[in-house]
Amino acid sequence: QVQPVESGGGLVQAGGSLRLSCAASGRTLSRYFMGWFRRAPGKEREFAAAINWSGRSTYYADSVKGRFTISRDNAKNTVYLQMNSLKPEDTAVYYCAASTSYGPRAQTDYNYWGQGTQVTVSS
């Protein structure tokens, strides 16, 4: 079992950048397909980005494609989400999740979830 722990959220102005990190206690993250999801105020949680075990394949929601980059460092047992050109509509709680099977977009494919980190983008 693995427990993802997110960090790196905060308040940023529109057009700015943030990098979220997802570390893990328990098993090594290299065993898992990893994803980032987000829940905006008043909305359901949605897929943002995902990465396969080796890091060679990545997947993005259309709303973040070209602005966000997901990556992983298995040696450091950490997954990252680099967020550039942030917009107020990116304001959300961001969750890191681990899947023992192939994701990438369905929340039901993910077995383990972090508690989330708040990202607020001001206009």
Side-chain angles (χ1 to χ4, degrees):
Q1 186 167 340
V2 65
Q3 178 58 55
V5 179
E6 306 93 339
S7 62
L11 174 63
V12 64
Q13 288 188 332
S17 299
L18 279 176
R19 188 176 79 158
L20 305 183
S21 298
C22 175
S25 59
R27 288 190 170 185
T28 174
L29 281 181
S30 63
R31 296 172 176 262
Y32 300 89
F33 198 105
M34 300 298 297
W36 285 97
F37 293 79
R38 64 185 186 180
R39 188 197 306 268
K43 296 186 177 181
E44 294 189 351
R45 189 165 59 188
E46 64 177 10
F47 168 76
I51 189 166
N52 75 340
W53 305 269
S54 67
R56 292 194 181 103
S57 295
T58 56
Y59 310 83
Y60 296 96
D62 288 343
S63 57
V64 308
K65 195 174 296 182
R67 300 186 298 120
F68 290 12
T69 302
I70 188 171
S71 61
R72 68 192 302 160
D73 186 338
N74 287 337
K76 294 184 177 181
N77 217 31
T78 303
V79 176
Y80 304 98
L81 185 67
Q82 178 67 44
M83 306 186 295
N84 298 329
S85 301
L86 283 162
K87 304 175 181 179
E89 51 263 43
D90 294 318
T91 295
V93 177
Y94 284 72
Y95 298 90
C96 177
S99 173
T100 56
S101 61
Y102 173 75
R105 302 173 187 272
Q107 298 185 48
T108 52
D109 285 338
Y110 289 82
N111 310 89
Y112 307 105
W113 292 82
Q115 294 298 308
T117 185
Q118 176 71 47
V119 171
T120 303
V121 184
S122 63
S123 57

